[in-house]
Amino acid sequence: MPVLSNIRLLSTPLAASPGRIHSIDHAALVWRDGKILWTGSEKELPEQYRTEERWDAGGKLVIPGLIDCHTHLGFGGWRTEEFVRKIGGATYEEIARAGGGIASTVAETAKLSLEELEHRALGFLREMSSLGVTTAECKSGYGLSVEGEIRLLELYRRLSERQPMTIVPTFLGAHAIPASADRKSYVASIIDQMIPEIASRGLARFCDVFVEPIAFSVEESRAIFRAGAAAGLRPKLHADQLSDGGGASLAAEVGAISADHLEAVSDAGLERMAEAGVIAVLLPIASLYLRKPWLAAARLRKCGVRFAVATDFNPGSAPSCHLPFALTLSVAGNRLHPEEALSAATIAAAAAIAEGDRRGSLEPGKAADFAVIDAESVAHWLYHFRPNACVMTVKDGKKIYEARN
Ligand code: NIG
Ligand code: FE
C-alpha cells in the first residue's frame, strides 16, 4: 500500500463541488490495488499508513490524472501543407471542398496496417502520459466505410488491452461524406450497418456527428443520433464550430452528454444546453489553428453551462496532443480561471465521457490516477508554459512515467 508524501500541494476538485478546487498543503495520498484510500494533511496521516512504503513527491504539486475527453487519435499521415496554405488565407471549408482536409486523412489512414496505426497511436499515448494524461476519449472518423470505421474502433480496443491508459471509444462515422458516396446512402449505411455492428460488438460508448453545413445537417444528425441512442450509444456533437447551425440546440434536444467546439454558438444555444445538462467541451487548440474566436468563459458562466477542455488532437485543426498547452490557451484565450481549467480537464472532462464516478478527482474509492507537477500552484503551472512540467504520472496506482533528472 504506497503512500505519496511530501506533497507541497494536493489540488483536486471534489465530486460534491466540482467547480471548486480543494487544495491541501503538506499533504499525503494513500492507495491500494489501484484505488485511492485516503488523502489529507500529512500531519493527519492515520497511524496504520505510517509504516507503509513511502514515495516522495519532492514538495511538488499533485493533481488528478488529466483526462483528454476529445481526441481523434487514430489516423495516418499529417497535413503540413494545408497548415501552410491556411496561413496564406485558404479556409477550412475551401480545403474540405477541394478534397483536402478530412478526405486526405481518410486516404492516408487506409494506407496503414492496423499494426502501423497502433505503433503511431502508442507513440502519441506515451507522449500524453508523460504530460500527466491518464485517460483519453478516442474517436473513429477517418475510415468512413463500414470496414474502415470498425478498423479504427478495433484499434482502440487493442490499445486498451496493450497499454495502461484508459481509452474511451467514440464512433464518428458521421465525420464527413466520403467522396465516392452519395449523402443519402452514406447516412443510411451509418444507421443501418455501422451503428448496429459497432453497438453489438461493444466497440464504442458514444455516437458523435460533425453537425455543420459543410458536414451533416441537423436533420441527418438527428436521425443518426436516434439510431445510435436506440443501440445504446449516447450522443456527442461537434457543434457550431464554423457557423451557428443549431448544433447546441440539437445537443439539448437529443440529450447529448457533450457538445464540443462551439466557437460560433449563440446564447440561446448555450441556454438550451444548460437546461438539458449538456457539457460544453472547449477545444482551444482548434480555435487557435483555425483562427476562430475564443468562446468566452464569461458567457458559459452567465448561461450556467458546465464546461470541459480537451485537445481535439487530429492532423487538421489541432495537430497537438498536448493537453496542458490546451489548458494554458483556455486560460489565456477563453479566459478560464486556472482552477476552472484544472476542473475542466479532470472532473468535468470525466463527466463529459461518463467516467465521473470512477475518475477525475482524488477521493477515496476513485482510481489512483494522478500526476506530480513541478509548479508551486495550479496557476503557476498554466502560466509558466513549458514543454513538460510533469515529473511523474501514476495510472491505476502504477507509475507509467517518470522524468529523468
Ligand atoms: O474536430 N470538426 C471536425 N473534425 C475535426 C477536424 C478533423 C480534420 O480536419 O481532420 C475537428 O476539428
Ligand atoms: Fe474533433
Side-chain angles (χ1 to χ4, degrees):
M1 183 178 348
V3 179
L4 183 70
S5 58
N6 192 16
I7 299 172
R8 177 160 185 254
L9 204 60
L10 181 127
S11 274
T12 187
L14 297 182
S17 52
R20 271 192 53 215
I21 296 293
H22 298 256
S23 291
I24 308 170
D25 220 342
H26 303 291
L29 170 67
V30 186
W31 68 97
R32 181 170 57 203
D33 299 333
K35 295 250 162 45
I36 294 171
L37 283 182
W38 186 89
T39 64
S41 160
E42 207 167 336
K43 285 202 302 287
E44 288 156 24
L45 184 66
E47 203 51 48
Q48 73 261 37
Y49 304 139
R50 288 187 182 262
T51 52
E52 297 293 337
E53 176 196 354
R54 289 270 182 137
W55 298 20
D56 191 319
K60 296 192 168 61
L61 174 70
V62 173
I63 59 170
L66 298 173
I67 296 177
D68 196 340
C69 67
H70 182 139
T71 83
H72 303 251
L73 188 79
F75 62 86
W78 290 100
R79 305 211 308 259
T80 317
E81 274 168 33
E82 197 177 288
F83 168 64
V84 177
R85 275 186 65 199
K86 279 190 281 196
I87 296 166
T91 66
Y92 191 78
E93 291 92 330
E94 279 163 10
I95 288 168
R97 288 208 171 96
I102 293 170
S104 68
T105 298
V106 171
E108 291 299 315
T109 304
K111 287 183 196 158
L112 299 188
S113 66
L114 197 55
E115 288 67 31
E116 287 167 326
L117 285 169
E118 183 186 345
H119 181 75
R120 267 172 76 101
L122 282 171
F124 298 140
L125 289 171
R126 258 195 305 278
E127 202 176 321
M128 291 160 80
S129 65
S130 77
L131 297 164
V133 178
T134 50
T135 297
E137 185 259 16
C138 298
K139 301 175 195 295
S140 65
Y142 292 120
L144 305 189
S145 65
V146 180
E147 305 71 40
E149 286 297 301
I150 288 175
R151 198 166 83 104
L152 285 175
L153 294 169
E154 281 172 341
L155 165 71
Y156 298 148
R157 176 161 285 175
R158 273 166 88 128
L159 292 171
S160 291
E161 291 161 358
R162 295 179 185 191
Q163 58 76 53
M165 279 171 61
T166 299
I167 304 289
V168 174
T170 293
F171 167 56
L172 177 61
H175 198 189
I177 310 276
S180 55
D182 82 279
R183 305 191 70 84
K184 246 178 124 183
S185 55
Y186 187 65
V187 172
S189 79
I190 292 175
I191 293 175
D192 300 330
Q193 294 176 270
M194 296 186 201
I195 288 175
E197 177 73 13
I198 286 160
S200 74
R201 292 177 53 189
L203 285 170
R205 285 174 50 189
F206 302 101
C207 175
D208 199 337
V209 177
F210 185 15
V211 185
E212 195 74 47
I214 62 159
F216 292 81
S217 70
V218 167
E219 292 68 35
E220 289 163 340
S221 305
R222 187 183 282 121
I224 294 167
F225 287 133
R226 286 215 177 115
L233 304 178
R234 186 145 180 213
K236 245 184 187 302
L237 283 79
H238 280 69
D240 300 339
Q241 179 187 12
L242 308 171
S243 58
D244 175 17
S249 297
L250 179 65
E253 178 195 317
V254 299
I257 192 158
S258 75
D260 306 24
H261 285 291
L262 300 169
E263 284 93 335
V265 73
S266 64
D267 277 357
L270 287 177
E271 280 157 17
R272 294 218 49 207
M273 282 174 55
E275 280 159 25
V278 181
I279 297 171
V281 179
L282 307 183
L283 303 168
I285 300 178
S287 308
L288 177 72
Y289 275 75
L290 299 184
R291 290 186 300 281
K292 297 292 171 195
W294 306 106
L295 174 56
R299 286 180 62 207
L300 295 164
R301 290 189 210 107
K302 185 183 83 185
C303 297
V305 180
R306 191 168 182 201
F307 48 90
V309 171
T311 59
D312 193 21
F313 179 46
N314 74 76
S317 59
S320 169
C321 56
H322 200 303
L323 186 53
F325 173 48
L327 294 181
T328 289
L329 291 177
S330 79
V331 174
N334 303 94
R335 301 174 72 175
L336 266 62
H337 187 281
E339 296 197 347
E340 286 179 315
L342 178 63
S343 277
T346 55
I347 202 147
I353 52 172
E355 285 283 316
D357 54 349
R358 285 180 282 244
R359 317 174 196 284
S361 56
L362 299 174
E363 295 179 79
K366 285 201 169 181
D369 292 1
F370 57 87
V372 182
I373 305 291
D374 184 13
E376 64 197 30
S377 64
V378 173
H380 188 84
W381 170 46
L382 298 180
Y383 145 80
H384 177 33
F385 178 76
R386 283 159 286 168
N388 195 4
C390 176
V391 295
M392 189 200 285
T393 308
V394 173
K395 172 68 186 165
D396 293 322
K398 298 201 178 73
K399 207 180 284 179
I400 60 168
Y401 165 75
E402 188 164 21
R404 274 186 252 130
N405 293 321

